[in-house]
Amino acid sequence: MSGFQRVRKVLFGLCMIAVALFFIFFPSDEAYMIIVAILSLGLAIVGIKDIIFYFTMAKHMIGGKMILIQGVIILDFALITGSLANVPKIYILLYLIGIHAFSGVVEILRAMESKKAVEGPWKLKFTHGIINFLLAIACLIFIRKSHTALLIYSLGLIYSAVVRIFSAFRRTSFILIN
């Protein structure tokens, strides 16, 4: 990871913490619309980035079509997320629960795969997945109390930001093939 990538990762983590603290200290009904907008914009950026990566480089790679399919699916999720602006809050919370649960399970599976392949920090991935899944369960328990669910979501956002900042300072290994 280059120095610019590390700085960008730390700045993004600090922005995530700032947004989460804003949600904690100023909970309102508009916070859900802000969450929907952030999720929609973030997913759209990732989806478009994957699609551009496919057309510039991945179409020449083995398994490159999976990157295109992933980009299209993520872009679809961005459009679905953006369309949730005028639905009741309970559906937005259910959507957030689904995102947390899915990303938690995926992170746990990735950690188990890393553990088998003995590559990288699998313990950090595993705890991140477990905490993400526990946040989904906590949101499900407190779904009727919308401000409590917003607080839980904000705490999850802070945790994700701290993990992102921590991973920016982690040493990366390089493989040199002569």
Side-chain angles (χ1 to χ4, degrees), residues 3-114:
F4 177 71
Q5 289 173 330
R6 290 181 196 274
V7 169
R8 190 176 69 192
K9 211 170 197 181
V10 169
L11 288 177
F12 189 73
L14 291 174
C15 287
M16 287 172 62
I17 290 173
V19 168
L21 290 176
F22 177 77
F23 288 151
I24 289 172
F25 291 122
F26 303 109
S28 66
D29 293 335
E30 290 81 29
Y32 292 99
M33 296 308 124
I34 295 171
I35 289 173
V36 168
I38 290 171
L39 283 174
S40 179
L41 183 65
L43 288 171
I45 289 170
V46 170
I48 291 170
K49 186 180 82 168
D50 283 350
I51 292 170
I52 290 172
F53 178 67
Y54 170 76
F55 284 113
T56 57
M57 185 176 254
K59 68 180 175 183
H60 304 293
M61 295 170 35
I62 295 174
K65 287 185 182 177
M66 288 303 294
I67 293 173
L68 175 66
I69 293 169
Q70 175 183 328
V72 170
I73 290 173
I74 291 173
L75 191 59
D76 286 344
F77 274 121
L79 295 174
I80 289 170
T81 305
S83 69
L84 290 177
N86 296 326
V87 297
K89 284 188 229 178
I90 192 88
Y91 295 119
I92 297 171
L93 290 173
L94 287 172
Y95 188 72
L96 290 175
I97 290 167
I99 288 174
H100 270 294
F102 181 74
S103 64
V105 168
V106 167
E107 198 71 26
I108 290 169
L109 293 175
R110 287 178 60 207
M112 290 305 182
E113 186 178 337
S114 292

